[in-house]
Amino acid sequence: MPRLLTTDEVDACDRLDYWNHAVSAAYVQLTCEAPGSDVVGDIKVDSLATLELSQVTATAQHVRRTPSLIAATAEDYFLVSIQTRGVGLISQDDRTAELHPGDFALYDSTRPYALRFDGDFQQYVLMLPGPTLRSQLRGAPALTARSVRGARGAGHLMIEMIRTLAADIAVLEPAAAAAVAQSVEHIVVAGLSSLAADEPVPEPSLAARREQVKAVGRAHLRDPGLTVAAIAAQLHTSVSTLHRAFAGEPTSIAEWIWAQRLDAVRADLCDPTLRHRTISDLAFAWGFVDASHFSRAFRARFGCTAREVRAGG
């Protein structure tokens, strides 16, 4: 369930103290200072398998992760801040990234860092387990506090994915959550890997695009209108680009979507808590619009009927 931490009903004299507890509860142990010792804001936090995605909207403040706070708690996360409003500064490892709307930067909770916002701002913050990302990302300390523009290339790919996730995280089914989280991790790695060179990679890899297609597809499997064109429109790219990304896969994008839907229906048929729902109801809930087509596709994929699967448990 999503969490909302807000100063809306907190007395002005208590708001900064409340906010200090709120940012520490949402992220890692932090200390926050604000002009006039007052801050107004809210943090919306959603969990998705191994990662958390939050949106923070607040007034000016200076947030720090100090050596003493690090020593007091064993919190190992990478955080990615994506600026959507105002200007933010992220400082770590003797570098400072200046974020304007659309930009993002990485920082590591195991080392001191500071966030500075001199005016009202809004950010998405993606928080991932440190060991997981560290095992996939070479030279992580060299990638912190470096601003990445989201206008094109890998930066654009990553930002569009996180915006999509933020819009759809509330409707994701538990069965799809782990797969989407893994896809997001792959896209984060693809976006940050472009920082390893002096010049950013001009275009994201086909593998990264493929992961994005799969993540968006899983998030919208229940939508009967999910098509390759719809995915391309949501990702602000062309259908031909997505087809090229899928060229090395054993199926086309459309075939992959149908296979995912069939797998989801099969899982529901084996769920004893869903025995009260008809087979057609389950199929329609996963985006199928024709019962006969579903029956034929199900038999073709699994070699038996949906009724036989349900009878066998």
Side-chain angles (χ1 to χ4, degrees):
M1 292 291 292
R3 290 182 292 151
L4 175 63
L5 306 169
T6 178
T7 61
D8 282 354
E9 297 182 3
V10 180
D11 292 339
C13 60
D14 298 324
R15 280 198 293 246
L16 183 58
D17 183 59
Y18 172 86
W19 191 252
N20 268 279
H21 286 90
V23 294
S24 294
Y27 306 111
V28 293
Q29 292 298 304
L30 299 163
T31 180
C32 178
E33 301 172 352
S37 296
D38 188 19
V39 62
V40 176
D42 59 62
I43 306 172
K44 301 173 185 177
V45 185
D46 275 290
S47 296
L48 183 70
T50 58
L51 60 84
E52 287 194 348
L53 180 66
S54 61
Q55 184 183 60
V56 53
T57 307
T59 54
Q61 58 192 271
H62 184 195
V63 181
R64 292 182 298 141
R65 173 80 165 159
T66 64
S68 60
L69 290 174
I70 294 170
T73 56
E75 299 169 309
D76 185 358
Y77 295 97
F78 278 106
L79 299 99
V80 180
S81 282
I82 305 166
Q83 199 77 16
T84 55
R85 191 184 305 161
V87 178
L89 299 176
I90 296 177
S91 299
Q92 188 171 51
D93 299 322
D94 298 320
R95 290 183 296 272
T96 297
E98 183 173 309
L99 303 184
H100 296 268
D103 300 341
F104 73 90
L106 175 79
Y107 44 109
D108 185 345
S109 73
T110 65
R111 299 192 305 281
Y113 64 79
L115 312 176
R116 185 181 185 93
F117 308 96
D118 291 329
D120 295 354
F121 73 96
Q122 185 180 76
Q123 286 187 335
Y124 286 123
V125 181
L126 181 67
M127 192 161 75
L128 307 103
T132 301
L133 192 60
R134 203 171 283 110
S135 67
Q136 301 178 51
L137 196 60
R138 294 183 179 181
L143 304 179
T144 58
R146 295 178 62 182
S147 180
V148 182
R149 293 186 60 190
R152 62 185 181 88
H156 175 74
L157 178 70
M158 184 178 128
I159 285 179
E160 288 301 316
M161 180 65 255
I162 292 178
R163 284 176 174 159
T164 299
L165 177 60
D168 299 322
I169 194 169
V171 298
L172 275 176
E173 290 297 310
V180 174
Q182 186 178 46
S183 295
V184 171
E185 289 175 5
H186 290 167
I187 293 165
V188 169
V189 171
L192 293 170
S193 294
S194 68
L195 290 172
D198 290 334
E199 293 295 328
V201 177
E203 290 295 330
S205 69
L206 294 180
R209 285 197 185 278
R210 188 162 58 247
E211 290 296 337
Q212 187 182 35
V213 171
K214 290 181 177 181
V216 174
R218 290 187 183 102
H220 293 273
L221 279 180
R222 292 185 181 275
D223 181 2
L226 178 65
T227 63
V228 180
I231 295 174
Q234 189 157 12
L235 301 180
H236 304 288
T237 189
S238 67
V239 169
S240 60
T241 296
L242 300 190
H243 283 312
R244 283 197 301 273
F246 246 73
E249 292 285 293
T251 63
S252 68
I253 298 175
E255 291 169 338
W256 179 87
I257 290 171
W258 288 118
Q260 294 296 305
R261 283 174 167 162
L262 289 167
D263 290 349
V265 176
R266 188 178 188 278
D268 282 356
L269 289 170
C270 297
D271 186 345
T273 66
L274 299 177
R275 297 286 295 182
H276 64 287
R277 297 178 61 180
T278 66
I279 293 174
S280 294
D281 184 27
L282 294 177
F284 294 157
W286 282 105
F288 289 94
V289 295
D290 184 283
S292 297
H293 171 256
F294 162 74
S295 296
R296 291 192 299 270
F298 193 95
R299 179 184 284 275
R301 180 161 178 79
F302 300 114
C304 58
T305 67
R307 189 177 301 278
E308 289 169 341
V309 168
R310 168 165 273 184

